[in-house]
Amino acid sequence: MNNLNPAWKSFKVSVNSLCSGDQDRRLKCIVWDWDSNGKHDFIGEFSSTFKEMRGALEGRQVQWECINPKYKVKKKNYKNSGIVILNLCKIHKMHSFLDYIMGGCQIQFTVAIDFTASNGDPRNSCSLHYIHPYHHFYSTAFK
């Protein structure tokens, strides 16, 4: 907003959402100038890969020229509409359940099945174990 050298807030995105886990997948980044009236102006675009962005892991900056294709065609001395600089890229590994198990985490698991007839027929809405016909789960904790 009213800044020719904006510093955007950092954000988090999963690698799966960003590039489906493919670090060489081309990502198209589009830069807009925000206007309060809703008529945002297209500044330019660039493409990159997650692998290129990871260059900012070691504390060095990674940069791309932001190119407006229309200006590139119309203006013969056009160089770019600015430089986009990535100052920092951090990767936080999110461990899965299997990672914990394979790492030696031990879990005790107990299952109990209640065959008591006094709980009632699970098809009856008054039953403690009522199974709603339109839901794929049920809970006895709130009945």
Side-chain angles (χ1 to χ4, degrees):
M1 291 185 358
N2 299 323
N3 189 340
L4 295 177
N5 295 302
W8 290 292
K9 293 179 183 177
S10 62
F11 61 93
K12 294 179 183 182
V13 63
S14 72
V15 174
N16 195 36
S17 295
L18 184 66
C19 59
S20 299
D22 179 2
Q23 295 188 16
D24 294 312
R25 183 179 190 172
R26 297 304 299 173
L27 305 170
K28 184 176 183 179
C29 302
I30 303 172
V31 180
W32 293 86
D33 178 30
W34 182 88
D35 288 324
S36 59
N37 64 7
K39 295 181 180 179
H40 313 305
D41 303 312
F42 175 69
I43 300 296
E45 61 190 29
F46 64 93
S47 69
S48 183
T49 64
F50 179 64
K51 189 180 277 185
E52 290 173 10
M53 292 178 183
R54 286 183 56 174
L57 279 172
E58 292 86 37
R60 67 183 231 281
Q61 293 180 337
V62 181
Q63 58 186 29
W64 300 270
E65 286 190 341
C66 190
I67 304 295
N68 186 321
K70 288 182 183 176
Y71 291 172
K72 192 173 183 177
V73 171
K74 286 181 183 178
K75 301 177 181 180
K76 69 176 157 174
N77 291 335
Y78 176 78
K79 187 175 176 182
N80 62 50
S81 295
I83 304 291
V84 176
I85 300 170
L86 179 62
N87 289 318
L88 180 64
C89 176
K90 290 183 182 179
I91 299 174
H92 298 281
K93 173 123 172 80
M94 300 297 291
H95 297 285
S96 70
F97 177 73
L98 284 178
D99 289 333
Y100 284 102
I101 298 300
M102 292 170 67
C105 180
Q106 296 181 1
I107 297 175
Q108 292 182 354
F109 181 68
T110 304
V111 175
I113 300 174
D114 183 0
F115 290 106
T116 309
S118 64
N119 289 331
D121 185 348
R123 293 171 294 200
N124 183 336
S125 64
C126 296
S127 167
L128 290 174
H129 299 288
Y130 175 60
I131 301 171
H132 194 280
Y134 301 111
H135 292 111
H136 298 284
F137 61 91
Y138 64 96
S139 172
T140 59
F142 301 107
K143 296 214 178 237

